[in-house]
Amino acid sequence: MRINRREFIQISGAAAAGLALSSCAGKGGMFSPARDQAKMLQIQDAKETTTICPYCAVGCGAIVHTAKTGDKRAINIEGDPGHVINRGTLCSKGAALRQLSENSERITQPLYRAPYAKEWKKVSWDWALTEIAKRVKTTRDATFEARNAKGQVVNRTMGIASVGSAALDNEECWTYQALMRAIGVVYIEHQARI
Amino acid sequence: MSKSFFVDTTLCTACRGCQVACKQWHDLPAEKTENRGTYQNPADLSFDTYKLVRMREEVIGGQLRWLFFPDQCRHCLEAPCLETAGDPAAIYYDEPSGAVIYTAATKNLDAAEIIESCPYNIPRKAADGTLAKCDMCYDRVAAGMQPACVKTCPTGAMNFGERAEMLDLAQKRLAVIKRTHREAMLLDPDDIRVVFMVAYKPGLYHDHAVASNTGSGISRQVALRRMLRPLKNLVSQLA
């Protein structure tokens, strides 16, 4: 006769004890998992923001959970079940979206390598943005064409091209291209793949 | 009501969404990988990788087939690891879902013994001896959500729900696939909560696709432990 463990517990009257144990097996209880998972509690109290995955032209919807308190950073990103394209699903790239912002490998300060310099050096955001604006303005003004060879109004610059990032979402792409068009850039590219 | 998975490998495209969603939800670190001539990465499950899409290239009937197997803990109805441990503080059933849960107290178990007891070769240990594996996202399930791997699956290969519904779905899909793939089968559907359907011989997908000790029953070691446990418990109560 084979008596399994469950039957044995019943026989030995330990069932009540087992029940008592399982009721305190939740988070923070004495039987917390090997890695404590307070995540569910975190996202239940998080702010939800919808976004579009930047990685390819399918355009899947995702929900970003950000902490309402503390550093207010993203704590979870998963597919948006209400989104018509993906109905909550995400591929491996989409499932890794959170690493766009939450990643210790990220470079968080602008780096500058001067012409002919071998090394990158850290610069301030203020310096970097001012310098970029200055150089864009100079190049744009020097290469601006109000009319083409046929005399048609074009208001463009052929001296600047833009290669957008593969990590920009829908809204960021819109803002970016609006800025580029405003200054007359016509070579506007985005790195979305697939 | 207990839960189960139905994994339809005929729909899997090996996008690895499940693998990444699992890491994302559990905040598990990345692994250093290398090009081993296969897209399967990392090479195996680990303390930091609970879900792994295994990939094999096999010639079947004169044609090359790329076989995908999104491997994970099967959450056995009667889990040998749990039986072997005999310590509910280390390994226990999460009653509402049926998930087999490993706690930090697995550190005190004989890791090699637990790993060997698993018919599917799933648990993995950390440097300090703590064991880890898929936890069925039982925190999500308790909140009425699907496990991260199931929710993210874009093809419908990963399914999750009430056990009866999943077994029903499995039978329906099997009937469809059987028409074109005579060898198609469900893997150990009566014993586990993660029921895979394969279109070809399971051994082609993964060495541990089906229980390695089917038919042989529990090991002598486990049997001995079971016999001695009442005595051990009695002694510890008296102490």
Side-chain angles (χ1 to χ4, degrees), chain A residues 23-43:
Chain A
S23 67
C24 64
K27 285 169 197 74
M30 63 185 288
F31 302 136
S32 61
R35 285 189 173 87
D36 192 39
Q37 282 158 35
K39 195 144 193 187
M40 198 61 238
L41 296 174
Q42 276 180 34
I43 75 161

Side-chain angles (χ1 to χ4, degrees), chain B residues 124 128 147 195 230:
Chain B
R124 295 289 184 271
D128 72 353
V195 178

Side-chain angles (χ1 to χ4, degrees), chain B residues 4-6 159-171:
Chain B
S4 283
F5 294 73
F6 169 53
N159 300 275
F160 182 81
E162 296 303 330
R163 180 164 174 79
E165 284 171 28
M166 285 301 113
L167 291 177
D168 193 42
L169 177 65
Q171 291 298 345

